[in-house]
Amino acid sequence: AQTVTQSQPEMSVQEAETVTLSCTYDTSESDYYLFWYKQPPSRQMILVIRQEAYKQQNATENRFSVNFQKAAKSFSLKISDSQLGDAAMYFCAYLIKAAGNKLTFGGGTRVLVKP
Amino acid sequence: KAGVTQTPRYLIKTRGQQVTLSCSPISGHRSVSWYQQTPGQGLQFLFEYFSETQRNKGNFPGRFSGRQFSNSRSEMNVSTLELGDSALYLCASSLDPNSGNTIYFGEGSWLTVV
C-alpha cells in the first residue's frame, strides 16, 4: 500500500525560531511529486512547497525548505524564522505522475507558534 | 483570477437524504478532484475528473458519485446519507493531469449529517 507517515502529531516553536516537520512515504513508483500543504483554521489547503522526485536539489520557497532524501523516502519541511501566521496543520503528500492528480496525504502535523 | 469556488459552504442534512456539492475550478483548469476530510480518516481522495470523464476513483462506496460539465465545473453527489458522511469535502483543480502542475484547493463544503 502506498502511504505517507507524519510521525509528529504536534510541534511547538518559538516565534523567529526554526522547526522541522518529518515525513516519510512509501511508493514503488519512480516518477512522482512531493508536496507540503498548510491548512489554517479556515481549512483551505494552501501549497507551501513542491518537489519533483527526479530533481536532487532541495526545493526552497522563502522561509520554507525541504530535505528530500529519495533513497530513504524522506521529505522533511523546515520552517525558518517562524511567524505567528505559520500556525496551522501541515500535510505532506505525494502524487504519482502516471496516476493523474491523485494526492495521497499524511495524517498531518499541527504547528503551534509561541510569541 | 478567481480561485476554486465551492458551494454551498455549509449544509446540514438528515440521514437517508442525498446531497449535491458544486465546484468551479480556476479559469482554464480542466482537472477537478474531490477529497473527503474527517478527523478519523484524514484526507482521502474521492475521484478526479478531466474532460468530463472520471479518471480516478478512490475507495468509496457507490453512494458517492460525481460528474464534470463541459465548462469544467464539477459536482459530487452523496446518496442515502449516513452519519459517517459528515465531513469537510474539498475540491481541487489543476491545469491537467499527468503534468505535476500545482493543485489548488477550494475552501471546502462542510457537510453535517444528523
Side-chain angles (χ1 to χ4, degrees), chain B residues 97-109:
Chain B
N98 297 332
S99 63
N101 284 310
T102 299
I103 298 171
Y104 297 88
F105 282 81
E107 293 181 297
S109 291

Side-chain angles (χ1 to χ4, degrees), chain B residues 35-85:
Chain B
Y35 294 82
Q36 181 197 64
Q37 186 175 22
T38 61
Q41 299 299 316
L43 280 151
Q44 294 186 287
F45 172 82
L46 278 157
F47 26 63
E48 178 194 8
Y49 287 88
F50 176 70
S51 293
E52 302 177 63
T53 302
Q54 187 181 89
R55 299 190 75 250
N56 258 317
K57 190 176 193 304
N59 189 24
F60 280 83
R63 299 184 298 106
F64 291 80
S65 63
R67 59 177 175 168
Q68 186 179 36
F69 302 94
S70 59
N71 62 358
S72 295
R73 190 177 71 84
S74 176
E75 289 181 347
M76 68 162 282
N77 183 277
V78 187
S79 62
T80 319
L81 284 165
E82 301 177 359
L83 295 179
D85 297 332

Side-chain angles (χ1 to χ4, degrees), chain A residues 33 35 37 39 42-47 50 91 95-107, chain B residues 9 31 33 35 37 43 45 48 55-56 88 90 94 96-103 105-107 110:
Chain A
Y33 299 88
F35 305 86
Y37 276 91
Q39 189 178 45
S42 69
R43 306 307 289 269
Q44 181 169 16
M45 302 286 279
I46 301 165
L47 178 66
R50 171 179 174 272
F91 292 93
L95 178 156
I96 306 299
K97 192 173 179 183
N101 287 329
K102 176 184 175 182
L103 286 162
T104 300
F105 285 94
Chain B
R9 292 292 319 281
S31 170
S33 48
Y35 294 82
Q37 186 175 22
L43 280 151
F45 172 82
E48 178 194 8
R55 299 190 75 250
N56 258 317
L88 176 66
L90 292 164
S94 180
D96 54 62
N98 297 332
S99 63
N101 284 310
T102 299
I103 298 171
F105 282 81
E107 293 181 297
W110 281 100

Side-chain angles (χ1 to χ4, degrees), chain A residues 3 6 14-15 22-23 31 34 44 61 69 93 96 104:
Chain A
T3 60
Q6 295 179 246
Q14 205 71 36
E15 200 175 2
S22 66
C23 171
D31 198 0
L34 294 160
Q44 181 169 16
E61 199 66 51
Q69 302 290 326
I96 306 299
T104 300

Side-chain angles (χ1 to χ4, degrees), chain A residues 64-102:
Chain A
F64 299 88
S65 61
V66 297
N67 183 3
F68 174 43
Q69 302 290 326
K70 190 171 184 178
K73 295 183 180 176
S74 170
F75 184 60
S76 62
L77 174 71
K78 184 169 80 172
I79 307 173
S80 303
D81 185 26
S82 296
Q83 300 175 359
L84 294 177
D86 295 333
M89 283 291 289
Y90 286 80
F91 292 93
C92 176
Y94 72 75
L95 178 156
I96 306 299
K97 192 173 179 183
N101 287 329
K102 176 184 175 182

